[in-house]
Amino acid sequence: MKLVVRLIEARNLPPTDPNGLRDPYAKLHFKVEDLNEELVVGVLDEDKYFNDDIVGQIKVPVSHVFDADNQSLGTVWYSLQPKNKKSRFKECGEILLSICFSQSFPDSNCNASQSKKNMDVMRSPSRSFNGTNNSSPARLEETASSKEEKFFAQKNLAGRIVQIFNKNSDVISVTTSRSTEISEQSETDGSEVCDDKAEDQSSSGNFEELMKEMESRDVGSEVPNNLPGGILVDQSYVISPPDLNSFFFSPDSSLARLLSDFVGNSEQQFGPWRFENSSESLKRVITYVKAPTKLVGALKASEEQTYLKADGKIFAVLISVSTPDVMYGSTFKVELLYCITPGPELPSGEKTSHLVISWRMNFLQSSMFKIDLKDLGSSKEQVLASLKVEPQSDGKLAIQYFANFTVVSAVFMALYVFVHIWLAAPSAIQGLEFVGLDLPDSIGEVIVCGVLTLQCERVLGLLSRFMQARAQKGTDHGVKAQGDGWVLTVALIEGSHLPAVDSSGFCDPYVVFTCNGKTRTSSIKFQKSDPLWNEIFEFDAMDDPPSVLDVEVYDFDGPFNESMSLGHTEINFVKSNLSDLADVWVPLQGKLAQACQSRLHLRIFLNNTRGSNVVKEYLSKMEKEVGKKINLRSPQTNSAFQKVFGLPPEEFLINDFTCHLKRKMPLQGRLFLSARIIGFYANLFRQKTKFFFLWEDIVDIQVDTPTLSSMGSPVIVITLRQGRGMDARHGAKTIDDEGRLKFHFQSFVSFNVANRTIMALWKARSLSPEQKVQIVEEESETKFLQTEESGSFLGLEDVSMSEVYACSLSVPINFLSELFGGGELDRKVMEKAGCLSYSCTPWESVKTEVYERQLYYRFDKHVSRFGGEVTSTQQKYPLSDRKGWIVEEVMTLHGVPLGDFFNLHLRYQIEDFPSRLKGCHVRVSMGIAWLKSSWHQKRISKNIISSLQDRLKLIFNAVEKEFANR
């Protein structure tokens, strides 16, 4: 017997977004074994960036269903109720449910004639590890919306699988236990159901035996690598690997039928699992007819499923789909690899599984549609090999270069003079002449000598330029890249309509490429406005992916004259897709170039020779500079990050932080950091604010001290170089006198971690390689790596903490925890300790078992004769043995002399006494984070410790008195 719930529809749900829209989904949880338990159905509104809003919920005792007629409550509208009194929604709407107990199939007892818009209930693995799970046999069920338009909007393979398993889809996954029988099926007539069940039973009885036989045959083979096409699903679920394997591939599993009905397939036939190839591989074949689309009609498809590995813990199944009826269908197959591995064990003892589904197109023979990864890798070599430079001898170049009026006239004048000397008789010595010195005898002769001298000077200049240009041709042309990392290859093909700068109507152009401080120079083309180069340049391998390639075109004007710029352009790898740069015409900027509409024909290739480990290696390097563990982001997170900012697929997210962007008014959003950019995104009342700029654009980063306007938080001020980042101008707070944009970011949850990460990434892009190595060596000696779980949450690892107070209290630890609960005890004790106008925000969950709140109060005159205000951020989390709590606090002082020079960091450690004793033990540690240097820091520290100790005595004495009064 099983409890079946049909989630049909909802109405009159309150608007959760400012524009009146909502993204609702339902969540169900209950215990079938215990009739005293309640079925809880909650309706939530999905929020992609914050916690999902709870719209409302209903509670139905399981005993009511059991005692009802036919053990069914029928189809009834239920009014949703607020979860608690503080809920923002008072009128929560209604939800239509059908609840019943079923012996076998839900259709037998639960109104089989219901409309087809009601989707069957499906049990599947849980949405995530973060959901609460109070008991191991707890089962959560979910339902799917029947909006048919969404069936056709997501026809691609990734969309279908994500709709089944991802929480953002209409079908929400939930937890299931190993003993759960998956028997919900699509609505079919009774005869088909019986036939399918009989067929399944004939093959499913041996499935576990087949798995055991596969396990016994396993010889420790490695887990297959993910297929190169990409990752479709990368999720973890609260279910053991064998159960998840059965959920997908057991003959009696209904998942395949549900998926088939979901995408509109028909005539599905399942073959039995059997050993083939001399009992070496376990296979089965599934055939079906795919539903017609707007482009392709209905067609037959066959799916071959093969176990590559099944050792009882790890399962790998390769699925090969053939569609021979489509055009070129016999030339390729679509392959999926399901890889199920064990995940970490939960504190409750439940086992988890990690599922990765990858894909590829396997082309069986050559076709015009084939796009193989190897071909993509070799396309660069093929394109570059096709570039051929026309052989041209030095004689032809000399004729081309020297065939101009200046040279011709100079040669003519030289011949004329030599013929004149040959024909003329020796003249008599006269005037100041002597033997061997013949001076001009008239003004005409003086003019002729001057013209001859100028002509010779110009010819010698042309000869010198030609020799210098020929020497420049082989300087860095054809140099191969060295090292491993990001290799940039640029093919300079040709130029078009380059501006003429001399009287001949031509120019002598050459191109200079600059990337990450390294330059490559092309050869000089003489007397060309449309030069043809066909030259290839490679830059040495770079550890960091390059952001910008600068391209400048010059006119050669001799070895001793400054070359004139004909135009320039910039190739931004962040804003461009590498596939678009494989063959591109780029327009040149500049007055001369824009007037002539000059362009360059380039082919640019950027690839990484280190393979797939580049991201991990980069994060490992950043961890040493930041001093904190940086987690590798999932492909889904990276994809969302790239989509928000329109970035190319090779860009990967390193870290992101919640903060405020300060302009006229603070705007809350998230700051995203990657290897090449720093970006900000906010969505306030559907008004999106987003921008990004390059790390190379930053000229300075400073930290301003906390003020009241910054809500007691230090401010990171980022200044860009002049003329850079103009696309992000709307996010800048000010523009200085030099025309540089300034961006202000504040109110970080963990300011020290954010500041260190930003500075490390900036230095990685702006410092020389020698400086980078020096920084890594220095910081690796003084800092040790901490994991995300074991590190401090408020940046306390940067502060030297020392114990300033310790006491044992004769009050239960539960009573003492009220001191940090924000209730009446919290307020009374703080007022007795001299804290006026005390207010605090409710505790909010920021991660698993970690909660955070904000405090505000003013000092009484007895505490500080200067008065002053305090803003604090507290975070609490349980001790490792779960016998107490740790509360960490960052306190910022306002209106106190020298209060802007430091922040106070406090750590309260509350431990419960052994069971034979009553009470708890409290230890308080303190550290001071100095924001500015002060010559009397020791004196300030002593005064702070003394006053803090007195205040702590007042607080805990007041706690004991309050407990005694109760």
Side-chain angles (χ1 to χ4, degrees):
M1 179 178 292
K2 62 172 85 51
L3 181 64
V4 179
V5 180
R6 291 182 182 274
L7 176 64
I8 302 174
E9 61 179 306
R11 65 186 181 187
N12 300 329
L13 296 180
T16 55
D17 296 335
N19 59 2
L21 300 178
R22 60 191 72 84
D23 302 308
Y25 68 91
K27 202 172 184 180
L28 298 84
H29 53 94
F30 56 90
K31 286 186 178 180
V32 178
E33 291 86 353
D34 193 347
L35 295 179
N36 295 325
E37 294 294 331
E38 294 179 327
L39 164 66
V40 180
V41 182
V43 177
L44 299 89
D45 179 70
E46 183 187 29
D47 195 319
K48 293 184 179 179
Y49 301 101
F50 303 98
N51 293 334
D52 295 347
D53 296 327
I54 299 177
V55 178
Q57 65 180 15
I58 66 165
K59 296 182 179 180
V60 180
V62 178
S63 59
H64 290 186
V65 186
F66 189 80
D67 297 336
D69 295 338
N70 297 326
Q71 295 183 344
S72 173
L73 296 181
T75 304
V76 181
W77 283 98
Y78 296 89
S79 296
L80 295 172
Q81 302 298 325
K83 185 176 181 181
N84 50 51
K85 296 180 179 179
K86 296 182 180 180
S87 177
R88 53 184 288 199
F89 305 114
K90 303 304 179 183
E91 299 294 334
C92 303
E94 297 177 293
I95 189 170
L96 183 60
L97 299 176
S98 174
I99 308 174
C100 68
F101 273 105
S102 174
Q103 296 290 342
S104 55
F105 293 99
D107 292 342
S108 61
N109 296 328
C110 293
N111 193 9
S113 62
Q114 198 171 9
S115 173
K116 286 187 178 181
K117 71 178 182 178
N118 302 331
M119 298 293 293
D120 288 342
V121 178
M122 168 187 170
R123 295 176 188 155
S124 63
S126 66
R127 293 176 58 190
S128 66
F129 284 128
N130 296 331
T132 57
N133 205 3
N134 297 329
S135 58
S136 59
R139 299 188 183 101
L140 303 184
E141 292 198 355
E142 63 184 12
T143 60
S145 171
S146 61
K147 301 176 182 177
E148 294 184 359
E149 61 271 14
K150 291 192 176 181
F151 296 168
F152 301 99
Q154 299 187 0
K155 282 294 183 182
N156 59 77
L157 182 58
R160 297 171 187 167
I161 296 181
V162 169
Q163 276 195 307
I164 295 294
F165 298 102
N166 200 323
K167 79 169 192 176
N168 294 331
S169 65
D170 291 328
V171 181
I172 308 166
S173 56
V174 292
T175 56
T176 183
S177 64
R178 182 170 183 173
S179 61
T180 302
E181 178 187 5
I182 305 171
S183 60
E184 298 298 332
Q185 301 180 359
S186 301
E187 293 185 5
T188 57
D189 57 69
S191 59
E192 291 178 348
V193 171
C194 296
D195 293 340
D196 290 343
K197 183 177 180 181
E199 182 181 350
D200 288 347
Q201 288 178 346
S202 64
S203 58
S204 63
N206 297 326
F207 183 74
E208 294 184 0
E209 296 180 5
L210 294 174
M211 290 296 100
K212 291 180 180 179
E213 187 173 353
M214 286 287 294
E215 181 179 353
S216 63
R217 295 183 179 184
D218 186 78
V219 291
S221 59
E222 296 182 355
V223 180
N225 295 327
N226 294 331
L227 299 181
I231 303 296
L232 299 177
V233 175
D234 185 3
Q235 295 287 344
S236 297
Y237 304 98
V238 185
I239 184 175
S240 64
D243 290 343
L244 186 58
N245 173 60
S246 298
F247 176 76
F248 282 112
F249 304 108
S250 175
D252 59 350
S253 174
S254 62
L255 176 63
R257 294 179 176 83
L258 286 172
L259 182 60
S260 179
D261 295 338
F262 181 74
V263 298
N265 295 340
S266 60
E267 300 182 17
Q268 195 168 21
Q269 296 181 0
F270 291 82
W273 285 104
R274 57 168 58 97
F275 282 101
E276 296 182 0
N277 298 331
S278 301
S279 300
E280 293 182 359
S281 60
L282 182 62
K283 295 183 179 181
R284 76 170 178 180
V285 178
I286 303 174
T287 60
Y288 49 87
V289 176
K290 295 183 63 67
T293 64
K294 294 181 179 179
L295 298 178
V296 182
L299 52 92
K300 293 183 178 180
S302 63
E303 183 174 305
E304 182 180 271
Q305 300 180 351
T306 306
Y307 270 92
L308 303 181
K309 183 177 180 62
D311 61 358
K313 297 181 179 179
I314 300 175
F315 301 87
V317 180
L318 180 65
I319 300 177
S320 180
V321 182
S322 301
T323 52
D325 293 342
V326 301
M327 183 180 298
Y328 296 95
S330 59
T331 64
F332 69 92
K333 290 184 178 181
V334 179
E335 294 183 351
L336 297 174
L337 178 62
Y338 283 65
C339 189
I340 303 172
T341 57
E345 187 173 347
L346 297 180
S348 60
E350 294 180 284
K351 296 183 179 180
T352 62
S353 301
H354 183 210
L355 171 65
V356 177
I357 304 178
S358 56
W359 73 281
R360 72 174 176 182
M361 295 286 289
N362 186 9
F363 287 89
L364 307 178
Q365 63 188 59
S366 178
S367 71
M368 63 181 296
F369 296 107
K370 182 174 181 179
I371 306 175
D372 194 86
L373 293 178
K374 294 182 179 179
D375 290 344
L376 291 176
S378 61
S379 62
K380 167 186 171 181
E381 304 300 332
Q382 296 175 358
V383 170
L384 297 181
S386 64
L387 299 179
K388 295 182 180 180
V389 181
E390 297 180 1
Q392 198 169 15
S393 64
D394 292 343
K396 291 183 178 180
L397 287 176
I399 293 174
Q400 180 182 353
Y401 184 69
F402 291 109
N404 55 61
F405 177 77
T406 300
V407 177
V408 172
S409 62
V411 171
F412 174 77
M413 293 295 295
L415 291 176
Y416 183 83
V417 170
F418 282 115
V419 171
H420 168 71
I421 293 174
W422 181 53
L423 296 177
S427 60
I429 297 176
Q430 53 185 331
L432 298 178
E433 297 176 343
F434 53 84
V435 177
L437 178 63
D438 187 6
L439 297 178
D441 298 331
S442 64
I443 299 297
E445 292 183 354
V446 172
I447 294 175
V448 171
C449 290
V451 171
L452 290 176
T453 302
L454 292 176
Q455 289 288 85
C456 291
E457 188 271 337
R458 295 189 65 181
V459 171
L460 290 175
L462 290 174
L463 182 61
S464 175
R465 289 174 60 189
F466 178 79
M467 298 303 295
Q468 180 72 17
R470 295 303 296 165
Q472 178 177 320
K473 178 180 179 181
T475 55
D476 54 11
H477 172 64
V479 177
K480 294 296 183 180
Q482 299 180 356
D484 289 331
W486 294 93
V487 176
L488 175 62
T489 305
V490 182
L492 174 61
I493 310 300
E494 58 184 319
S496 174
H497 301 98
L498 299 183
V501 292
D502 56 24
S503 58
S504 64
F506 298 100
C507 58
D508 303 325
Y510 68 96
V511 185
V512 177
F513 300 95
T514 305
C515 183
N516 279 11
K518 302 295 181 63
T519 61
R520 294 290 183 266
T521 306
S522 75
S523 61
I524 300 172
K525 296 300 179 181
F526 298 110
Q527 304 296 302
K528 295 287 186 180
S529 293
D530 299 313
L532 178 64
W533 277 284
N534 282 347
E535 296 178 358
I536 303 171
F537 308 92
E538 288 188 357
F539 289 80
D540 289 341
M542 296 164 276
D543 293 334
D544 304 334
S547 303
V548 173
L549 172 67
D550 292 317
V551 183
E552 189 91 18
V553 183
Y554 293 97
D555 176 68
F556 183 75
D557 197 21
F560 306 109
N561 297 328
E562 183 177 359
S563 299
M564 177 184 295
S565 176
L566 301 180
H568 63 89
T569 188
E570 178 183 275
I571 306 297
N572 193 317
F573 295 109
V574 177
K575 297 181 179 180
S576 304
N577 198 314
L578 290 180
S579 60
D580 298 333
L581 298 178
D583 192 358
V584 60
W585 281 90
V586 292
L588 298 179
Q589 304 297 321
K591 294 182 179 179
L592 293 175
Q594 290 178 332
C596 299
Q597 297 182 351
S598 304
R599 298 186 302 165
L600 282 182
H601 188 191
L602 303 175
R603 290 178 178 175
I604 303 174
F605 303 91
L606 179 64
N607 63 319
N608 183 27
T609 59
R610 292 176 180 170
S612 59
N613 294 327
V614 59
V615 177
K616 294 183 179 179
E617 292 179 359
Y618 189 89
L619 293 181
S620 178
K621 181 182 68 173
M622 287 295 103
E623 286 173 353
K624 296 179 181 179
E625 300 187 7
V626 176
K628 194 172 184 66
K629 177 69 176 178
I630 300 178
N631 294 324
L632 179 65
R633 300 304 180 96
S634 66
Q636 292 84 355
T637 302
N638 276 322
S639 178
F641 164 67
Q642 295 161 4
K643 184 177 181 181
V644 167
F645 294 102
L647 302 174
E650 68 271 10
E651 194 69 14
F652 57 92
L653 179 63
I654 295 178
N655 212 338
D656 61 300
F657 302 95
T658 300
C659 66
H660 282 82
L661 172 68
K662 183 65 179 297
R663 295 181 294 187
K664 292 183 178 179
M665 293 292 292
L667 175 64
Q668 183 176 5
R670 296 193 72 84
L671 192 66
F672 294 87
L673 310 178
S674 72
R676 295 186 288 189
I677 75 161
I678 175 171
F680 179 83
Y681 177 83
N683 188 349
L684 181 63
F685 303 124
R686 296 293 181 178
Q687 296 297 322
K688 296 181 180 180
T689 301
K690 63 179 179 180
F691 60 85
F692 71 87
F693 45 83
L694 302 177
W695 291 108
E696 289 89 339
D697 294 342
I698 301 176
V699 68
D700 187 31
I701 299 179
Q702 295 182 350
V703 178
D704 288 353
T705 57
T707 60
L708 287 176
S709 62
S710 66
M711 297 177 287
S713 170
V715 182
I716 297 179
V717 181
I718 298 178
T719 305
L720 303 188
R721 302 181 188 276
Q722 184 178 5
R724 307 296 295 183
M726 288 302 169
D727 294 343
R729 184 173 182 176
H730 60 281
K733 186 177 187 295
T734 58
I735 302 179
D736 62 10
D737 298 336
E738 300 180 12
R740 302 181 303 181
L741 300 177
K742 290 182 175 291
F743 298 82
H744 291 233
F745 302 98
Q746 64 186 44
S747 302
F748 291 90
V749 175
S750 181
F751 173 80
N752 289 330
V753 175
N755 184 40
R756 287 202 314 271
T757 306
I758 291 173
M759 293 301 296
L761 290 172
W762 179 48
K763 291 177 181 178
R765 306 295 300 193
S766 59
L767 298 180
S768 63
E770 294 78 11
Q771 291 173 320
K772 295 178 185 177
V773 173
Q774 182 179 359
I775 290 177
V776 171
E777 291 177 351
E778 291 176 355
E779 294 191 356
S780 62
E781 295 176 356
T782 58
K783 293 184 178 181
F784 61 93
L785 202 59
Q786 294 182 336
T787 63
E788 189 72 26
E789 292 76 17
S790 63
S792 299
F793 295 100
L794 292 174
L796 299 183
E797 64 271 19
D798 291 339
V799 181
S800 178
M801 305 291 291
S802 60
E803 187 173 306
V804 296
Y805 183 80
C807 67
S808 297
L809 303 177
S810 58
V811 299
I813 191 172
N814 293 335
F815 182 83
L816 184 59
S817 63
E818 295 182 20
L819 177 62
F820 303 96
E824 186 67 16
L825 178 63
D826 192 356
R827 184 185 59 80
K828 284 184 178 181
V829 170
M830 295 300 287
E831 288 180 354
K832 290 182 179 180
C835 302
L836 306 178
S837 303
Y838 176 79
S839 63
C840 62
T841 62
W843 287 105
E844 295 181 357
S845 177
V846 294
K847 57 179 66 176
T848 305
E849 295 187 328
V850 180
Y851 303 89
E852 181 179 296
R853 70 171 182 171
Q854 310 292 327
L855 306 179
Y856 170 81
Y857 53 86
R858 292 185 294 106
F859 281 133
D860 184 63
K861 294 294 184 181
H862 298 288
V863 178
S864 173
R865 61 189 181 91
F866 301 100
E869 300 176 347
V870 176
T871 56
S872 294
T873 299
Q874 288 184 345
Q875 285 188 353
K876 68 175 182 179
Y877 53 96
L879 293 173
S880 57
D881 58 0
R882 299 188 176 275
K883 294 183 179 181
W885 285 83
I886 289 181
V887 178
E888 294 182 340
E889 180 177 4
V890 175
M891 181 186 300
T892 304
L893 306 180
H894 310 285
V896 177
L898 301 178
D900 57 344
F901 276 63
F902 59 91
N903 283 338
L904 291 182
H905 293 235
L906 303 177
R907 179 182 290 126
Y908 301 83
Q909 183 169 336
I910 306 169
E911 301 174 80
D912 196 3
F913 279 165
S915 58
R916 65 178 181 273
L917 302 176
K918 294 183 179 180
C920 57
H921 187 71
V922 179
R923 289 186 297 174
V924 182
S925 303
M926 187 199 74
I928 301 179
W930 294 97
L931 305 178
K932 296 181 181 179
S933 178
S934 175
W935 60 273
H936 47 285
Q937 291 181 1
K938 293 184 178 179
R939 181 180 178 184
I940 295 175
S941 300
K942 291 181 180 179
N943 293 337
I944 291 174
I945 293 174
S946 178
S947 61
L948 179 62
Q949 289 174 339
D950 295 338
R951 183 165 167 265
L952 291 172
K953 288 180 181 179
L954 290 174
I955 290 176
F956 292 108
N957 288 338
V959 171
E960 288 187 321
K961 290 181 181 179
E962 288 292 328
F963 179 75
N965 293 336
R966 291 189 182 183

